[in-house]
Amino acid sequence: MSVLQAKKWLVALRWADGERSTVVYEGPLWIGKVTQAVHVLAQAEHLRRRQAEPELPVHLEYEIRSFTPAQECSERG
């Protein structure tokens, strides 16, 4: 399967506090769709982190570090 045909992606995030997270994005790599969908996933991940660590700020910046096809990751492991 080529990278462009992948429908499920592991998205590596790096938070402003230095922590790293991985979220799963499902869909095509269309700039607008990815930006919106990954932002929603990142917000949900931040909420999960805040539930575990209430001292985290309400808003925390993040950086998208990479997209990896989920199928490629499962084939490696």
Side-chain angles (χ1 to χ4, degrees):
M1 168 184 296
S2 81
V3 169
L4 296 176
Q5 292 173 332
K7 296 293 184 194
K8 187 181 275 190
W9 304 87
L10 300 179
V11 183
L13 304 175
R14 183 177 182 279
W15 297 95
D17 66 353
E19 290 296 315
R20 297 176 187 270
S21 300
T22 301
V23 296
V24 178
Y25 163 69
E26 293 189 47
L29 287 182
W30 294 343
I31 299 290
K33 181 170 177 49
V34 169
T35 301
Q36 182 179 12
V38 170
H39 183 66
V40 169
L41 291 168
Q43 287 178 324
E45 175 64 12
H46 181 59
L47 178 60
R48 185 199 63 74
R49 286 188 64 206
R50 283 196 70 222
Q51 288 171 345
E53 303 171 57
E55 69 279 1
L56 284 176
V58 174
H59 299 287
L60 191 61
E61 297 291 318
Y62 65 91
E63 176 181 71
I64 297 172
R65 302 292 294 174
S66 66
F67 284 85
T68 305
Q71 295 83 357
E72 179 181 310
C73 289
S74 63
E75 289 171 6
R76 288 183 194 164

